[in-house]
Amino acid sequence: MKQSGVLKAVIAIAVSAVILFATSMALKGVAAANTEKANLATMKQVLPGSETFTEEEYTGEDANIVTAYKSENGYVVETKVFGYVDNIVLWVGVSNDGTVTGMSVREISETPGLGQKALTDPSFLSQFLDTKGDAEIGTNIDAITGATVSSKAITKSINSAVGFVTGADVASSASEWGDWDE
């Protein structure tokens, strides 16, 4: 009789595991669809007026460029540049004429209270709107106080994104920022 109870418990556990696995697989598709929908909404926000985005293979030399998505009126360029603590990943909207239309910080692990402000400080991020690859800390961009390295990393990302769209030379000073350059 004891063996019968153990067998029932093993069967119940096995059935539960199958149900959990099936549920997990079903939800994985839902999660992927939700992520895709959120990504599309973000792309439309950083490149206003665009509806469709097609990923383009990036074969260039700028190590800051991860990928680019072509749209009717420009590109959303994903960049990754090392900041003070870790990589900062941005999506930068750039119109066909090379003007920055918007940006979204996708990943940032900078110092809380300092570099993290780049994620939430609209006065810092808004400085990059309407620039054309000429953003430079101390010239036309004010760094976040106490987060100069993070500010320079974001500036480098913006300039790289514009350089991708306009075909600018990524080796120029427009996308270099000194000793922190990787």
Side-chain angles (χ1 to χ4, degrees):
M1 209 175 241
K2 226 177 186 182
Q3 287 179 342
S4 175
V6 171
L7 182 59
K8 287 181 183 177
V10 168
I11 291 171
I13 290 171
V15 169
S16 296
V18 168
I19 291 171
L20 285 173
F21 179 74
T23 302
S24 141
M25 297 313 318
L27 290 178
K28 188 182 260 186
V30 171
N34 286 342
T35 299
E36 187 175 325
K37 184 177 178 182
N39 287 346
L40 180 60
T42 300
M43 287 183 191
K44 287 179 177 183
Q45 182 180 14
V46 301
L47 191 61
S50 294
E51 291 299 318
T52 60
F53 298 86
T54 306
E55 185 173 353
E56 292 206 344
E57 181 180 357
Y58 180 67
T59 58
E61 296 179 16
D62 190 338
N64 304 325
I65 307 291
V66 176
T67 191
Y69 301 90
K70 173 104 176 88
S71 188
E72 305 84 52
N73 59 344
Y75 293 81
V76 173
V77 181
E78 181 177 352
T79 61
K80 179 167 64 171
V81 174
F82 196 82
Y84 184 74
V85 174
D86 202 355
N87 287 317
I88 299 171
V89 178
L90 295 179
W91 280 3
V92 183
V94 183
S95 66
N96 285 326
D97 72 354
T99 303
V100 176
T101 59
M103 71 224 54
S104 175
V105 179
R106 306 300 288 173
E107 293 176 27
I108 190 167
S109 300
E110 299 300 273
T111 308
L114 295 172
Q116 282 286 333
K117 287 183 182 178
L119 181 62
T120 58
D121 186 344
S123 63
F124 171 70
L125 292 174
S126 66
Q127 297 177 91
F128 296 101
L129 294 176
D130 297 325
T131 61
K132 291 188 173 242
D134 58 353
E136 186 177 339
I137 297 293
T139 301
N140 58 350
I141 301 293
D142 293 326
I144 296 172
T145 303
T148 305
V149 173
S150 303
S151 300
K152 286 182 176 183
I154 290 172
T155 302
K156 186 174 185 177
S157 290
I158 299 295
N159 289 338
S160 286
V162 172
F164 167 78
V165 174
T166 63
D169 179 7
V170 298
S172 73
S173 62
S175 62
E176 291 180 3
W177 46 279
D179 296 334
W180 293 94
D181 192 19
E182 289 192 340

